[in-house]
Amino acid sequence: MSSFNSIPNPNERAVVTTLFSESYSSAAVTLGHSLGTSQISARRMLLYFPERISPRTVCCLREVGWELHPIERIPPPDGGRGVFHRFVDNYSKLQIWTLDKIGIKSVVYLDADMLVRSNFDELWSLPFEFAAVPDVYGDKRGFASTFNAGMMFLRTSSAVFADMLSKIESDGYHHNEAEQGLLNVYFAEQVVLLPYIYNANLMIKQRNPVLWHTIKNETRILHYTLLKPFIEEERQQAISGIWEPEMRLWELAWMDAFTSDLQDKC
């Protein structure tokens, strides 16, 4: 276990996201820009499928600071039957653990549908192997004791990756939750639960507006779980509802990215 005061070299830590289709390209660009404006002291690495991402998107991603790391797809068990369509590629996220091969020792993983609101460098001092934020659901599960895999702090290990890979086909977890179901079982005895400010799931605002108001000024990372501001139909659904302020925040970040990083470059 690492010492709490032993902060790894910035070159040995990385904020990592994934991009598996063009539909999330503007999300990944905006996330990268928000990491830059928040001055996170770590490398920014994006794992992606090269065959699915256009040259223009590659240019935009690099302009906002992402180091691109191509990976191969890890298919879901049973051909993906029963897995929500947005999650069918998500087992490929497990390859984050293999970044030890290129010198990365610690990672803060963020889904591309997130927006960084303020610096979270304090996470690099965590003396744990794995940490995440409790999930929040709209159904009877409500505020859950299981974690949301959209934001994770972890120590890389190719050995851990190989072990997780061997368990993908098992029946010991809910396949409909894809890699999140697997990770919740795999790390059940190790996970350290972090405050909601590191994964401010929009569902919190719907379930408990008072809690949302309490944490909003301290929020480090917003998570657009319910409606995606980078998908036009979903943005239009949300823009006049309770999530209007959060939608506006994403739009402002996207426009700032385009003006400061991307204008006339890609």
Side-chain angles (χ1 to χ4, degrees):
M1 181 176 289
S2 303
S3 165
F4 186 80
N5 294 317
S6 178
I7 301 176
N9 184 307
N11 291 324
E12 295 177 346
R13 61 196 192 213
V15 180
V16 179
T17 196
T18 50
L19 183 61
F20 302 140
S21 75
E22 283 287 338
S23 63
Y24 273 57
S25 60
S26 58
V29 167
T30 306
L31 173 60
H33 178 73
S34 70
L35 284 164
T37 57
S38 300
Q39 300 182 319
I40 307 299
S41 58
R43 296 167 68 179
R44 286 175 260 167
M45 304 198 67
L46 184 142
L47 280 53
Y48 75 116
F49 302 150
E51 68 277 8
R52 293 190 187 176
I53 306 302
S54 70
R56 183 179 186 276
T57 294
V58 166
C59 174
C60 292
L61 293 167
R62 286 178 172 149
E63 285 294 334
V64 296
W66 290 115
E67 296 179 49
L68 272 60
H69 187 75
I71 59 170
E72 294 184 2
R73 183 175 185 264
I74 299 175
D78 305 320
R81 286 187 292 275
V83 178
F84 184 53
H85 70 94
R86 282 180 176 161
F87 302 159
V88 293
D89 294 320
N90 278 13
Y91 285 94
S92 304
K93 284 167 55 173
L94 301 180
Q95 296 192 57
I96 303 162
W97 273 266
T98 68
L99 294 176
D100 59 340
K101 295 178 179 178
I102 60 170
I104 302 297
K105 295 182 178 180
S106 56
V107 162
V108 170
Y109 171 80
L110 302 177
D111 274 350
D113 61 349
M114 290 181 147
L115 184 70
V116 176
R117 297 289 296 136
S118 63
N119 188 285
F120 53 75
D121 276 349
E122 65 274 11
L123 291 178
W124 304 117
S125 298
L126 289 175
F128 310 116
E129 294 298 314
F130 186 84
V133 176
D135 216 340
V136 185
Y137 294 92
D139 56 26
K140 63 182 181 181
R141 290 171 292 180
F143 289 84
S145 58
T146 54
F147 61 83
N148 182 284
M151 177 274 163
M152 301 178 286
F153 171 85
L154 60 98
R155 308 283 176 190
T156 57
S157 167
S158 291
V160 168
F161 168 74
D163 191 43
M164 288 192 291
L165 205 60
S166 72
K167 293 176 169 59
I168 285 179
E169 299 286 342
S170 78
D171 295 325
Y173 69 98
H174 297 297
H175 288 191
N176 62 313
E177 294 185 349
E179 92 298 346
Q180 179 165 295
L182 174 64
L183 290 168
N184 264 279
V185 172
Y186 193 88
F187 288 105
E189 296 181 359
Q190 298 181 52
V191 61
V192 174
L193 295 177
L194 299 172
Y196 292 117
I197 62 171
Y198 294 108
N199 186 348
N201 182 337
L202 292 187
M203 180 55 74
I204 298 172
K205 190 173 188 179
Q206 179 172 297
R207 298 288 311 214
N208 191 330
V210 174
L211 173 59
W212 187 263
H213 179 76
T214 301
I215 69 172
K216 70 177 184 178
N217 291 335
E218 295 299 322
T219 292
R220 309 290 196 272
I221 304 159
L222 273 173
H223 193 179
Y224 292 87
T225 48
L226 298 177
L227 295 166
K228 314 299 182 187
F230 47 90
I231 297 176
E232 182 60 24
E233 315 87 78
E234 297 190 19
R235 188 186 69 82
Q236 290 299 331
Q237 290 178 47
I239 203 66
S240 60
I242 65 168
W243 296 291
E244 179 180 1
E246 291 72 37
M247 295 294 147
R248 297 294 185 195
L249 283 173
W250 190 92
E251 286 184 345
L252 288 171
W254 163 246
M255 289 188 290
D256 189 49
F258 187 83
T259 301
S260 60
D261 292 330
L262 307 179
Q263 192 81 30
D264 302 322
K265 293 178 181 178
C266 297

